[in-house]
Amino acid sequence: MRLSTVILPIHRWSEGQKTWQRAEDLGFHAAYTYDHLSWRTFRDGPWFGALPTLTAAAAATTRIRLGTLVTSPNFRHPVTLAKELITLDDVSGGRVTLGIGAGGNGFDATVLGQEPWTPKERADRFAEFVPLLDRLLTEDAVTHRGTFYSADEARNIPGCVQRPRLPFAVAATGPRGLRLAARHGQAWVTTGDPKIYETGTPEESVAALRGQLERLGKACAETGREVAELDKVLLTGFTPDRGRPLESVDAFVDFAGRHRELGFTELVLHWPIPDSDFAADQRVFERIAAEAPAQLG
């Protein structure tokens, strides 16, 4: 099982770069960041752009993988996003993973002046966004006329360093999103079941995740793909366990072991942020990064 971290873009780069470099030094498989324009309780504080931050992180590191968790259509267009991703993949030497999801109804959903999309509208857009982005990252020139997105001879030469393109980690729990993950994903991402975040138990969370994995398997079977081909990524911090797995190395190993048995191949931990939902003891966090992988095998 791989351990990764997600670093929220809340610090000026003169300070923030130290965190990305420390994540690499600790041996994390990947360091991700959120692709939002602002987010929840951080809305009125510093928040920097995801792709420029990742580009700077690519220049400040050499080994660790980098990516978004997650990018969405809320304020992105496939044509411009593809150009930026190809550039980022080049700058990083082929170390980029695109986490991508349908988006939600938070600040990003209305910041451009539009009414928030319904769940069906988000799913409809996502169903067009992902296949078009796939084409834009694999073909030299793309023309597309869709319901929501168009491209007119969009050129992306020389393409990604990673071939045939950088990997997609598709965040989804509904049937349409899971089918997109099965068709286009190299990984699948979940945060668990939000309906039981506040009142559920860890056991109920494990059962809900098992159900999601079963539905992913069915989606893969429908598309003629082996579910084992996809990495299964859990972005932690949104299950009923909340921060308890980060209280000690033993607590984390127990948490990780239960999810490894379910079939997860990667766990993503939030880099600690004092006085926030992601507060944790930095020393314990770093011990987990250093010691837990050997215990998990």
Side-chain angles (χ1 to χ4, degrees):
M1 173 175 276
R2 296 189 295 267
L3 297 188
S4 297
T5 188
V6 59
I7 301 168
L8 299 195
I10 59 173
H11 298 294
R12 292 193 181 276
W13 190 245
S14 57
E15 181 65 25
Q17 65 177 322
K18 301 172 187 175
T19 303
W20 292 83
Q21 291 167 336
R22 183 60 179 157
E24 180 169 77
D25 292 341
L26 287 169
F28 280 112
H29 167 70
Y32 303 96
T33 197
Y34 286 5
D35 189 11
H36 292 294
L37 297 178
S38 59
W39 191 72
R40 297 188 185 180
T41 58
F42 296 91
R43 183 182 185 183
D44 295 324
W47 190 277
F48 294 92
L51 295 182
T53 295
L54 290 170
T55 303
T61 59
T62 59
R63 303 180 307 278
I64 194 168
R65 288 197 65 82
L66 306 166
T68 56
L69 278 184
V70 295
T71 293
S72 83
N74 269 345
F75 60 91
R76 297 289 186 185
H77 190 286
V79 170
T80 51
L81 177 60
K83 182 66 70 176
E84 292 178 346
L85 289 172
I86 285 173
T87 304
L88 176 57
D89 197 49
D90 183 66
V91 171
S92 70
R95 292 186 283 134
V96 175
T97 295
L98 177 71
I100 188 167
N105 56 2
F107 306 130
D108 294 342
T110 56
V111 69
L112 299 183
Q114 77 270 30
E115 292 297 316
W117 301 325
T118 66
K120 182 181 184 302
E121 287 172 324
R122 290 199 299 269
D124 289 344
R125 287 176 176 270
F126 194 49
E128 187 176 329
F129 193 101
V130 174
L132 176 54
L133 185 61
D134 196 331
R135 289 187 60 199
L136 287 161
L137 292 172
T138 53
E139 300 175 21
D140 288 346
V142 174
T143 294
H144 171 82
R145 293 287 181 271
T147 303
F148 305 105
Y149 305 103
S150 296
D152 186 10
E153 296 186 9
R155 282 169 166 74
N156 285 305
I157 300 170
C160 295
V161 173
Q162 301 174 86
R163 293 293 181 172
R165 58 157 169 77
L166 55 81
F168 288 178
V170 180
T173 56
R176 295 179 68 186
L178 289 172
R179 285 195 293 270
L180 286 171
R183 292 191 184 104
H184 300 277
Q186 285 64 56
W188 166 72
V189 182
T190 184
T191 58
D193 185 347
K195 294 190 295 294
I196 62 173
Y197 171 65
E198 294 289 346
T199 60
T201 65
E203 293 73 22
E204 289 172 330
S205 178
V206 166
L209 288 167
R210 183 180 293 112
Q212 291 179 2
L213 285 159
E214 290 171 355
R215 292 192 292 275
L216 176 66
K218 290 177 182 177
C220 287
E222 291 171 0
T223 60
R225 188 174 184 191
E226 293 291 333
V227 69
E229 296 177 20
L230 276 75
D231 283 321
K232 290 84 177 176
V233 182
L234 175 63
L235 175 59
T236 66
F238 301 102
T239 62
D241 306 84
R242 292 179 175 79
R244 287 193 292 275
L246 297 183
E247 291 178 355
S248 70
V249 175
D250 288 344
F252 178 78
V253 169
D254 178 69
F255 172 85
R258 283 185 277 119
H259 291 82
R260 179 185 59 185
E261 290 175 3
L262 286 175
F264 284 95
T265 58
E266 182 177 346
L267 296 183
V268 183
L269 316 179
H270 288 84
W271 195 274
I273 302 174
D275 302 317
S276 78
D277 290 341
F278 306 122
D281 188 311
Q282 184 71 34
R283 293 168 298 179
V284 174
F285 177 82
E286 296 200 4
R287 281 192 61 205
I288 288 169
E291 299 174 22
Q295 297 186 46
L296 292 168

